[in-house]
Amino acid sequence: MHADHKQLVKLLPLLPILAELGRTQHVTETAELLGVPQSTVSRALSRASAVVGTELLIRDGRGIRLTAAARTLLPYIESALTEFQAGLDLVRHESDVVRGKVSLSFQHTFGEATLPVLISAFRSRHPEAGFILSQGARDTCLAELASGQADLALTAPVPAASSTISSASLYREPLRLVVHHGHPLAGRDAVRMQDIRRDPFVALEPGYGMRSLTDALFREAGFRPRIAFESQDTHTARGLVAAGLGVSILPPGGNAPGRRISPETGNLGWVELALESGLAFREIGLGWRRRKPGPDAEPDPVRFFREMVLEEGPQLLAGLVAARSGRG
């Protein structure tokens, strides 16, 4: 450690005593105000003078008075203590204001892992923070955000930025073709959209984020899917595929039921295959309403959570994304 830093380490605990001594000009009064013995004040004075290398206070009758060196140093001591107090007040304020609630709308697929990871990280710092959660189709999430029912929306694709909505991407994950384990394509590593031209397709309903993504994939491939079922969640879609009732395009399933086939599951089971398409991915992001200063300003709990998600979310979720995509 640098010699100057060593001096600072020795002086820092003494600064409040020196500041109070400079104000009162009296050892006894300083001790009473700080709630410490007079001997503590006297020793602090001696140690500070030794560290600085010159006398800071001299006795004057029953009192004391500042030396020229002390008068030079005292404003800096007071400034340092004032700055530290301001930082301490800010930290305490943040701790207090994060007792409020954050209203968050999200798509079903983020409720199992993505959202819990983010909330857990925030609550580890702000245990009193509360959340009002609403889940549904992407269109529903964005409608709640636009109307003010939700402070934030977690969706895929990322909400489009506009004059009233801001957004940012958090991470990207691949989309997979999901087929029954006995499907003719099940042994392939990768497939083209043309390979499922004649297969019944298990889709999500219109208004869901995955529906817009699969519609784009079929448009790129130049044909319409033979939709056999429309579901409201990926778990049901995956289950229908596992029963051999069609194929689907979904986010990676991780360890969802059906990945491992066993005698107990009968003929149920599914396999994920890579899709050879530049559109076979989904971008997950956060959306929030643009607000003006004043009564409609963004509440502090919402701002603190949003800032944490934007700054730390990609790193917090990196391991989860890799594991679910088979890259862990």
Side-chain angles (χ1 to χ4, degrees), residues 12-73:
L12 286 176
L14 310 177
L15 295 187
I17 296 176
L18 294 176
E20 198 61 45
L21 271 170
R23 189 182 67 82
T24 65
Q25 301 281 302
H26 201 284
V27 173
T28 301
E29 186 178 348
T30 297
E32 291 175 351
L33 288 170
L34 296 177
V36 298
Q38 291 187 38
S39 58
T40 300
V41 177
S42 298
R43 284 197 300 270
L45 176 57
S46 298
R47 287 200 302 271
S49 296
V51 173
V52 174
T54 185
E55 291 295 329
L56 299 176
L57 300 167
I58 56 176
R59 297 192 177 278
D60 185 7
R62 296 183 61 187
I64 56 173
R65 60 184 172 85
L66 301 176
T67 64
R71 286 195 296 271
T72 299
L73 193 58

CSV table of all heavy atoms in Angstrom, one decimal, residues 12-73:
chain,number,residue,atom,x,y,z
A,12,LEU,N,-8.7,8.2,8.8
A,12,LEU,CA,-10.2,8.1,8.5
A,12,LEU,C,-11.0,8.0,9.8
A,12,LEU,O,-12.0,8.7,9.9
A,12,LEU,CB,-10.5,7.0,7.5
A,12,LEU,CG,-10.1,7.3,6.1
A,12,LEU,CD1,-10.4,6.1,5.2
A,12,LEU,CD2,-10.9,8.5,5.5
A,13,PRO,N,-10.7,7.0,10.7
A,13,PRO,CA,-11.5,6.9,11.9
A,13,PRO,C,-11.5,8.1,12.8
A,13,PRO,O,-12.4,8.3,13.7
A,13,PRO,CB,-10.9,5.7,12.6
A,13,PRO,CG,-10.1,5.0,11.6
A,13,PRO,CD,-9.6,6.1,10.7
A,14,LEU,N,-10.5,9.0,12.6
A,14,LEU,CA,-10.4,10.2,13.5
A,14,LEU,C,-11.1,11.4,13.0
A,14,LEU,O,-11.2,12.4,13.7
A,14,LEU,CB,-8.9,10.5,13.6
A,14,LEU,CG,-7.9,9.3,14.0
A,14,LEU,CD1,-6.5,9.8,14.1
A,14,LEU,CD2,-8.4,8.7,15.4
A,15,LEU,N,-11.5,11.4,11.7
A,15,LEU,CA,-12.1,12.6,11.1
A,15,LEU,C,-13.3,13.1,11.8
A,15,LEU,O,-13.4,14.4,12.0
A,15,LEU,CB,-12.5,12.3,9.6
A,15,LEU,CG,-11.3,12.0,8.7
A,15,LEU,CD1,-11.8,11.9,7.2
A,15,LEU,CD2,-10.2,13.0,8.8
A,16,PRO,N,-14.3,12.3,12.3
A,16,PRO,CA,-15.4,12.9,13.0
A,16,PRO,C,-15.0,13.6,14.3
A,16,PRO,O,-15.6,14.6,14.6
A,16,PRO,CB,-16.3,11.7,13.3
A,16,PRO,CG,-15.9,10.7,12.3
A,16,PRO,CD,-14.5,10.9,12.0
A,17,ILE,N,-14.0,13.0,15.0
A,17,ILE,CA,-13.5,13.7,16.2
A,17,ILE,C,-12.9,15.0,15.9
A,17,ILE,O,-13.1,16.0,16.6
A,17,ILE,CB,-12.6,12.7,17.0
A,17,ILE,CG1,-13.3,11.4,17.4
A,17,ILE,CG2,-12.0,13.4,18.2
A,17,ILE,CD1,-12.4,10.4,18.0
A,18,LEU,N,-12.0,15.0,14.9
A,18,LEU,CA,-11.3,16.2,14.5
A,18,LEU,C,-12.3,17.3,14.1
A,18,LEU,O,-12.2,18.5,14.5
A,18,LEU,CB,-10.3,16.0,13.4
A,18,LEU,CG,-9.1,15.1,13.8
A,18,LEU,CD1,-8.3,14.8,12.5
A,18,LEU,CD2,-8.3,15.7,14.9
A,19,ALA,N,-13.3,16.9,13.3
A,19,ALA,CA,-14.3,17.9,12.9
A,19,ALA,C,-15.0,18.5,14.0
A,19,ALA,O,-15.3,19.7,14.1
A,19,ALA,CB,-15.3,17.3,11.9
A,20,GLU,N,-15.4,17.7,15.0
A,20,GLU,CA,-16.2,18.2,16.2
A,20,GLU,C,-15.3,19.0,17.1
A,20,GLU,O,-15.7,20.0,17.6
A,20,GLU,CB,-16.7,17.0,17.0
A,20,GLU,CG,-17.9,17.4,17.9
A,20,GLU,CD,-19.0,18.0,17.2
A,20,GLU,OE1,-19.5,17.4,16.2
A,20,GLU,OE2,-19.5,19.0,17.7
A,21,LEU,N,-14.0,18.6,17.2
A,21,LEU,CA,-13.1,19.4,18.0
A,21,LEU,C,-12.9,20.8,17.4
A,21,LEU,O,-12.8,21.8,18.1
A,21,LEU,CB,-11.7,18.7,18.0
A,21,LEU,CG,-11.5,17.7,19.2
A,21,LEU,CD1,-10.2,17.0,19.0
A,21,LEU,CD2,-11.4,18.5,20.5
A,22,GLY,N,-12.8,20.8,16.1
A,22,GLY,CA,-12.7,22.1,15.4
A,22,GLY,C,-13.9,23.0,15.6
A,22,GLY,O,-13.7,24.3,15.7
A,23,ARG,N,-15.0,22.4,15.8
A,23,ARG,CA,-16.3,23.2,16.0
A,23,ARG,C,-16.4,23.7,17.4
A,23,ARG,O,-16.7,24.8,17.7
A,23,ARG,CB,-17.5,22.4,15.6
A,23,ARG,CG,-18.8,23.2,15.6
A,23,ARG,CD,-20.0,22.3,15.2
A,23,ARG,NE,-20.2,21.4,16.3
A,23,ARG,CZ,-20.9,21.7,17.4
A,23,ARG,NH1,-21.4,22.9,17.6
A,23,ARG,NH2,-21.2,20.8,18.3
A,24,THR,N,-16.1,22.7,18.4
A,24,THR,CA,-16.4,23.1,19.8
A,24,THR,C,-15.2,23.8,20.5
A,24,THR,O,-15.3,24.5,21.4
A,24,THR,CB,-16.7,21.8,20.6
A,24,THR,OG1,-15.5,21.0,20.6
A,24,THR,CG2,-17.8,21.1,20.0
A,25,GLN,N,-14.0,23.5,20.0
A,25,GLN,CA,-12.7,24.0,20.6
A,25,GLN,C,-12.6,23.5,22.0
A,25,GLN,O,-12.0,24.2,22.8
A,25,GLN,CB,-12.7,25.5,20.5
A,25,GLN,CG,-12.8,26.1,19.1
A,25,GLN,CD,-11.5,26.1,18.4
A,25,GLN,OE1,-10.5,26.6,18.8
A,25,GLN,NE2,-11.5,25.4,17.2
A,26,HIS,N,-13.2,22.4,22.4
A,26,HIS,CA,-13.2,21.9,23.8
A,26,HIS,C,-13.2,20.4,23.8
A,26,HIS,O,-14.1,19.8,23.2
A,26,HIS,CB,-14.4,22.5,24.5
A,26,HIS,CG,-14.2,22.5,26.0
A,26,HIS,ND1,-14.3,21.4,26.8
A,26,HIS,CD2,-13.8,23.5,26.9
A,26,HIS,CE1,-14.0,21.7,28.0
A,26,HIS,NE2,-13.7,23.0,28.1
A,27,VAL,N,-12.2,19.7,24.5
A,27,VAL,CA,-12.2,18.3,24.5
A,27,VAL,C,-13.4,17.7,25.3
A,27,VAL,O,-14.0,16.7,24.8
A,27,VAL,CB,-10.8,17.9,25.2
A,27,VAL,CG1,-10.8,16.3,25.4
A,27,VAL,CG2,-9.6,18.3,24.4
A,28,THR,N,-13.7,18.3,26.4
A,28,THR,CA,-14.8,17.7,27.2
A,28,THR,C,-16.1,17.7,26.4
A,28,THR,O,-16.9,16.8,26.4
A,28,THR,CB,-15.0,18.4,28.5
A,28,THR,OG1,-13.7,18.3,29.3
A,28,THR,CG2,-16.1,17.8,29.4
A,29,GLU,N,-16.4,18.9,25.9
A,29,GLU,CA,-17.7,19.1,25.1
A,29,GLU,C,-17.7,18.1,23.9
A,29,GLU,O,-18.7,17.5,23.6
A,29,GLU,CB,-17.8,20.5,24.7
A,29,GLU,CG,-19.2,20.8,24.0
A,29,GLU,CD,-19.4,22.2,23.6
A,29,GLU,OE1,-18.5,23.1,24.0
A,29,GLU,OE2,-20.3,22.5,22.8
A,30,THR,N,-16.6,18.0,23.2
A,30,THR,CA,-16.5,17.0,22.1
A,30,THR,C,-16.8,15.6,22.5
A,30,THR,O,-17.5,14.9,21.9
A,30,THR,CB,-15.1,17.1,21.4
A,30,THR,OG1,-14.9,18.4,20.9
A,30,THR,CG2,-15.0,16.1,20.3
A,31,ALA,N,-16.2,15.2,23.6
A,31,ALA,CA,-16.4,13.9,24.2
A,31,ALA,C,-17.9,13.6,24.5
A,31,ALA,O,-18.4,12.6,24.2
A,31,ALA,CB,-15.5,13.6,25.4
A,32,GLU,N,-18.5,14.6,25.1
A,32,GLU,CA,-19.9,14.5,25.5
A,32,GLU,C,-20.8,14.4,24.2
A,32,GLU,O,-21.7,13.6,24.2
A,32,GLU,CB,-20.4,15.6,26.3
A,32,GLU,CG,-19.7,15.6,27.7
A,32,GLU,CD,-20.1,16.9,28.5
A,32,GLU,OE1,-20.7,17.8,27.9
A,32,GLU,OE2,-19.8,16.9,29.7
A,33,LEU,N,-20.5,15.2,23.2
A,33,LEU,CA,-21.3,15.2,22.0
A,33,LEU,C,-21.2,13.9,21.3
A,33,LEU,O,-22.2,13.4,20.7
A,33,LEU,CB,-20.9,16.4,21.1
A,33,LEU,CG,-21.4,17.8,21.6
A,33,LEU,CD1,-20.7,18.8,20.8
A,33,LEU,CD2,-22.9,17.9,21.5
A,34,LEU,N,-20.0,13.3,21.2
A,34,LEU,CA,-19.8,12.1,20.5
A,34,LEU,C,-20.0,10.9,21.3
A,34,LEU,O,-20.1,9.7,20.8
A,34,LEU,CB,-18.3,12.1,20.0
A,34,LEU,CG,-17.9,13.1,19.0
A,34,LEU,CD1,-16.5,13.0,18.6
A,34,LEU,CD2,-18.8,13.0,17.7
A,35,GLY,N,-20.2,11.0,22.7
A,35,GLY,CA,-20.5,9.9,23.5
A,35,GLY,C,-19.3,9.0,23.7
A,35,GLY,O,-19.5,7.8,23.8
A,36,VAL,N,-18.1,9.6,23.8
A,36,VAL,CA,-16.9,8.8,24.1
A,36,VAL,C,-16.2,9.4,25.2
A,36,VAL,O,-16.4,10.6,25.6
A,36,VAL,CB,-16.0,8.8,22.8
A,36,VAL,CG1,-16.7,8.2,21.6
A,36,VAL,CG2,-15.6,10.2,22.4
A,37,PRO,N,-15.2,8.7,25.9
A,37,PRO,CA,-14.5,9.3,27.0
A,37,PRO,C,-13.5,10.4,26.5
A,37,PRO,O,-13.1,10.4,25.3
A,37,PRO,CB,-13.7,8.0,27.5
A,37,PRO,CG,-14.4,6.8,27.0
A,37,PRO,CD,-15.0,7.2,25.7
A,38,GLN,N,-13.2,11.3,27.4
A,38,GLN,CA,-12.3,12.4,27.1
A,38,GLN,C,-10.9,11.8,26.6
A,38,GLN,O,-10.3,12.4,25.7
A,38,GLN,CB,-12.1,13.3,28.3
A,38,GLN,CG,-13.3,14.1,28.6
A,38,GLN,CD,-13.0,15.1,29.7
A,38,GLN,OE1,-11.9,15.7,29.7
A,38,GLN,NE2,-13.9,15.3,30.6
A,39,SER,N,-10.5,10.7,27.2
A,39,SER,CA,-9.2,10.1,26.9
A,39,SER,C,-9.2,9.7,25.4
A,39,SER,O,-8.2,9.8,24.7
A,39,SER,CB,-8.9,8.9,27.8
A,39,SER,OG,-10.0,7.9,27.7
A,40,THR,N,-10.4,9.2,24.9
A,40,THR,CA,-10.4,8.9,23.5
A,40,THR,C,-10.2,10.0,22.6
A,40,THR,O,-9.5,10.0,21.6
A,40,THR,CB,-11.8,8.2,23.2
A,40,THR,OG1,-12.0,7.1,24.0
A,40,THR,CG2,-11.9,7.8,21.7
A,41,VAL,N,-10.8,11.2,22.9
A,41,VAL,CA,-10.6,12.4,22.1
A,41,VAL,C,-9.2,12.8,22.2
A,41,VAL,O,-8.6,13.2,21.2
A,41,VAL,CB,-11.5,13.5,22.6
A,41,VAL,CG1,-11.3,14.8,21.9
A,41,VAL,CG2,-13.0,13.1,22.5
A,42,SER,N,-8.6,12.8,23.4
A,42,SER,CA,-7.2,13.2,23.5
A,42,SER,C,-6.2,12.3,22.7
A,42,SER,O,-5.3,12.8,22.0
A,42,SER,CB,-6.8,13.2,25.0
A,42,SER,OG,-7.6,14.1,25.8
A,43,ARG,N,-6.5,11.0,22.8
A,43,ARG,CA,-5.6,10.1,22.0
A,43,ARG,C,-5.8,10.3,20.5
A,43,ARG,O,-4.8,10.3,19.8
A,43,ARG,CB,-5.9,8.7,22.4
A,43,ARG,CG,-5.4,8.3,23.8
A,43,ARG,CD,-5.3,6.7,23.9
A,43,ARG,NE,-6.7,6.2,23.8
A,43,ARG,CZ,-7.5,6.0,24.8
A,43,ARG,NH1,-7.1,6.3,26.1
A,43,ARG,NH2,-8.7,5.4,24.7
A,44,ALA,N,-7.0,10.6,20.1
A,44,ALA,CA,-7.3,10.8,18.7
A,44,ALA,C,-6.5,12.0,18.2
A,44,ALA,O,-6.0,12.0,17.1
A,44,ALA,CB,-8.8,11.0,18.4
A,45,LEU,N,-6.5,13.1,19.0
A,45,LEU,CA,-5.8,14.3,18.7
A,45,LEU,C,-4.3,14.0,18.5
A,45,LEU,O,-3.7,14.5,17.6
A,45,LEU,CB,-6.1,15.3,19.8
A,45,LEU,CG,-5.4,16.7,19.7
A,45,LEU,CD1,-5.7,17.3,18.3
A,45,LEU,CD2,-5.8,17.6,20.8
A,46,SER,N,-3.8,13.3,19.5
A,46,SER,CA,-2.3,13.0,19.4
A,46,SER,C,-2.0,12.1,18.2
A,46,SER,O,-1.0,12.4,17.5
A,46,SER,CB,-1.9,12.2,20.7
A,46,SER,OG,-2.1,13.0,21.8
A,47,ARG,N,-2.8,11.1,17.9
A,47,ARG,CA,-2.6,10.2,16.8
A,47,ARG,C,-2.6,11.0,15.4
A,47,ARG,O,-1.8,10.8,14.6
A,47,ARG,CB,-3.5,9.1,16.7
A,47,ARG,CG,-3.3,8.0,17.8
A,47,ARG,CD,-3.9,6.7,17.5
A,47,ARG,NE,-5.4,6.8,17.3
A,47,ARG,CZ,-6.2,6.7,18.3
A,47,ARG,NH1,-5.8,6.5,19.5
A,47,ARG,NH2,-7.5,6.8,18.0
A,48,ALA,N,-3.7,11.9,15.3
A,48,ALA,CA,-3.8,12.7,14.1
A,48,ALA,C,-2.6,13.6,13.9
A,48,ALA,O,-2.1,13.7,12.8
A,48,ALA,CB,-5.1,13.5,14.2
A,49,SER,N,-2.2,14.2,15.0
A,49,SER,CA,-1.0,15.1,14.8
A,49,SER,C,0.2,14.3,14.4
A,49,SER,O,1.0,14.8,13.6
A,49,SER,CB,-0.7,15.8,16.2
A,49,SER,OG,-1.8,16.6,16.5
A,50,ALA,N,0.4,13.1,14.9
A,50,ALA,CA,1.5,12.3,14.6
A,50,ALA,C,1.5,11.8,13.1
A,50,ALA,O,2.5,11.8,12.4
A,50,ALA,CB,1.6,11.0,15.5
A,51,VAL,N,0.3,11.5,12.7
A,51,VAL,CA,0.2,11.0,11.3
A,51,VAL,C,0.4,12.2,10.3
A,51,VAL,O,1.1,12.0,9.3
A,51,VAL,CB,-1.2,10.4,11.0
A,51,VAL,CG1,-1.4,10.1,9.5
A,51,VAL,CG2,-1.4,9.1,11.8
A,52,VAL,N,-0.2,13.4,10.6
A,52,VAL,CA,0.0,14.5,9.7
A,52,VAL,C,1.4,15.0,9.8
A,52,VAL,O,1.9,15.5,8.8
A,52,VAL,CB,-1.0,15.6,10.1
A,52,VAL,CG1,-0.8,16.9,9.3
A,52,VAL,CG2,-2.5,15.1,9.9
A,53,GLY,N,2.0,14.9,10.9
A,53,GLY,CA,3.4,15.4,11.1
A,53,GLY,C,3.5,16.8,11.6
A,53,GLY,O,4.6,17.3,11.6
A,54,THR,N,2.4,17.3,12.1
A,54,THR,CA,2.5,18.6,12.8
A,54,THR,C,1.3,18.7,13.7
A,54,THR,O,0.4,18.0,13.6
A,54,THR,CB,2.4,19.8,11.7
A,54,THR,OG1,2.5,21.0,12.3
A,54,THR,CG2,1.0,19.7,11.0
A,55,GLU,N,1.5,19.6,14.7
A,55,GLU,CA,0.4,19.8,15.7
A,55,GLU,C,-0.8,20.4,15.0
A,55,GLU,O,-0.7,21.3,14.2
A,55,GLU,CB,0.9,20.8,16.8
A,55,GLU,CG,1.9,20.1,17.7
A,55,GLU,CD,1.4,18.9,18.5
A,55,GLU,OE1,0.2,18.9,18.8
A,55,GLU,OE2,2.2,18.0,18.8
A,56,LEU,N,-2.0,19.9,15.4
A,56,LEU,CA,-3.2,20.4,14.8
A,56,LEU,C,-4.0,21.3,15.8
A,56,LEU,O,-4.7,22.2,15.4
A,56,LEU,CB,-4.1,19.2,14.4
A,56,LEU,CG,-3.5,18.3,13.3
A,56,LEU,CD1,-4.5,17.1,13.0
A,56,LEU,CD2,-3.3,19.1,12.0
A,57,LEU,N,-3.9,21.0,17.1
A,57,LEU,CA,-4.6,21.8,18.1
A,57,LEU,C,-3.6,22.1,19.2
A,57,LEU,O,-2.7,21.3,19.6
A,57,LEU,CB,-5.8,21.0,18.6
A,57,LEU,CG,-6.9,20.6,17.6
A,57,LEU,CD1,-7.8,19.6,18.2
A,57,LEU,CD2,-7.6,21.9,17.2
A,58,ILE,N,-3.7,23.3,19.8
A,58,ILE,CA,-2.9,23.6,21.0
A,58,ILE,C,-3.8,24.0,22.1
A,58,ILE,O,-4.9,24.6,21.8
A,58,ILE,CB,-1.9,24.7,20.6
A,58,ILE,CG1,-2.6,26.0,20.1
A,58,ILE,CG2,-0.8,24.2,19.6
A,58,ILE,CD1,-1.6,27.1,19.8
A,59,ARG,N,-3.4,23.7,23.3
A,59,ARG,CA,-4.2,24.1,24.5
A,59,ARG,C,-4.2,25.6,24.7
A,59,ARG,O,-3.1,26.2,24.6
A,59,ARG,CB,-3.8,23.3,25.7
A,59,ARG,CG,-3.9,21.8,25.5
A,59,ARG,CD,-3.8,21.1,26.8
A,59,ARG,NE,-4.0,19.6,26.6
A,59,ARG,CZ,-5.2,19.1,26.6
A,59,ARG,NH1,-6.3,19.8,26.8
A,59,ARG,NH2,-5.3,17.8,26.4
A,60,ASP,N,-5.3,26.1,25.1
A,60,ASP,CA,-5.4,27.6,25.4
A,60,ASP,C,-6.3,27.7,26.6
A,60,ASP,O,-7.5,27.8,26.5
A,60,ASP,CB,-6.1,28.3,24.2
A,60,ASP,CG,-6.1,29.8,24.3
A,60,ASP,OD1,-5.5,30.3,25.3
A,60,ASP,OD2,-6.7,30.5,23.5
A,61,GLY,N,-5.7,27.7,27.8
A,61,GLY,CA,-6.4,27.7,29.0
A,61,GLY,C,-7.1,26.4,29.2
A,61,GLY,O,-6.5,25.3,29.1
A,62,ARG,N,-8.4,26.4,29.4
A,62,ARG,CA,-9.2,25.2,29.6
A,62,ARG,C,-9.7,24.7,28.2
A,62,ARG,O,-10.2,23.6,28.2
A,62,ARG,CB,-10.4,25.5,30.5
A,62,ARG,CG,-10.0,25.8,31.9
A,62,ARG,CD,-11.2,26.0,32.8
A,62,ARG,NE,-12.0,24.8,32.8
A,62,ARG,CZ,-13.2,24.7,33.4
A,62,ARG,NH1,-13.8,25.7,34.0
A,62,ARG,NH2,-13.9,23.5,33.4
A,63,GLY,N,-9.5,25.5,27.2
A,63,GLY,CA,-9.9,25.0,25.9
A,63,GLY,C,-8.8,24.7,25.0
A,63,GLY,O,-7.6,24.5,25.4
A,64,ILE,N,-9.0,24.7,23.7
A,64,ILE,CA,-8.0,24.4,22.7
A,64,ILE,C,-8.3,25.4,21.5
A,64,ILE,O,-9.4,25.9,21.4
A,64,ILE,CB,-8.1,23.0,22.2
A,64,ILE,CG1,-9.5,22.6,21.7
A,64,ILE,CG2,-7.6,22.0,23.3
A,64,ILE,CD1,-9.5,21.3,21.0
A,65,ARG,N,-7.3,25.5,20.7
A,65,ARG,CA,-7.5,26.3,19.5
A,65,ARG,C,-6.8,25.7,18.3
A,65,ARG,O,-5.8,24.9,18.5
A,65,ARG,CB,-7.1,27.8,19.7
A,65,ARG,CG,-5.7,28.0,20.0
A,65,ARG,CD,-5.5,29.5,20.2
A,65,ARG,NE,-4.1,29.8,20.8
A,65,ARG,CZ,-3.0,29.9,20.0
A,65,ARG,NH1,-3.2,29.8,18.7
A,65,ARG,NH2,-1.9,30.2,20.6
A,66,LEU,N,-7.3,25.9,17.1
A,66,LEU,CA,-6.7,25.3,15.9
A,66,LEU,C,-5.4,25.9,15.6
A,66,LEU,O,-5.2,27.1,15.7
A,66,LEU,CB,-7.6,25.5,14.8
A,66,LEU,CG,-9.0,24.9,14.9
A,66,LEU,CD1,-9.8,25.3,13.6
A,66,LEU,CD2,-9.0,23.4,15.0
A,67,THR,N,-4.4,25.1,15.1
A,67,THR,CA,-3.2,25.7,14.6
A,67,THR,C,-3.5,26.1,13.1
A,67,THR,O,-4.5,25.8,12.6
A,67,THR,CB,-2.1,24.6,14.6
A,67,THR,OG1,-2.5,23.5,13.7
A,67,THR,CG2,-1.8,24.1,16.0
A,68,ALA,N,-2.5,26.7,12.5
A,68,ALA,CA,-2.7,27.1,11.1
A,68,ALA,C,-2.9,25.9,10.2
A,68,ALA,O,-3.7,25.9,9.3
A,68,ALA,CB,-1.5,27.9,10.7
A,69,ALA,N,-2.1,24.8,10.6
A,69,ALA,CA,-2.3,23.6,9.8
A,69,ALA,C,-3.7,23.0,9.9
A,69,ALA,O,-4.3,22.6,8.9
A,69,ALA,CB,-1.2,22.6,10.2
A,70,ALA,N,-4.2,23.1,11.1
A,70,ALA,CA,-5.6,22.5,11.3
A,70,ALA,C,-6.6,23.4,10.6
A,70,ALA,O,-7.6,22.8,10.0
A,70,ALA,CB,-5.9,22.5,12.8
A,71,ARG,N,-6.4,24.7,10.6
A,71,ARG,CA,-7.4,25.6,9.9
A,71,ARG,C,-7.4,25.3,8.4
A,71,ARG,O,-8.4,25.4,7.7
A,71,ARG,CB,-7.1,27.0,10.2
A,71,ARG,CG,-7.5,27.5,11.6
A,71,ARG,CD,-7.5,29.0,11.7
A,71,ARG,NE,-6.2,29.5,11.5
A,71,ARG,CZ,-5.3,29.7,12.5
A,71,ARG,NH1,-5.6,29.4,13.7
A,71,ARG,NH2,-4.1,30.2,12.2
A,72,THR,N,-6.2,24.9,7.9
A,72,THR,CA,-6.1,24.6,6.5
A,72,THR,C,-6.8,23.3,6.2
A,72,THR,O,-7.5,23.1,5.2
A,72,THR,CB,-4.7,24.5,6.0
A,72,THR,OG1,-4.0,25.8,6.2
A,72,THR,CG2,-4.5,24.1,4.6
A,73,LEU,N,-6.6,22.3,7.1
A,73,LEU,CA,-7.1,20.9,6.9
A,73,LEU,C,-8.6,20.8,7.2
A,73,LEU,O,-9.3,20.0,6.5
A,73,LEU,CB,-6.3,20.0,7.8
A,73,LEU,CG,-6.4,18.5,7.5
A,73,LEU,CD1,-6.0,18.1,6.1
A,73,LEU,CD2,-5.6,17.7,8.5
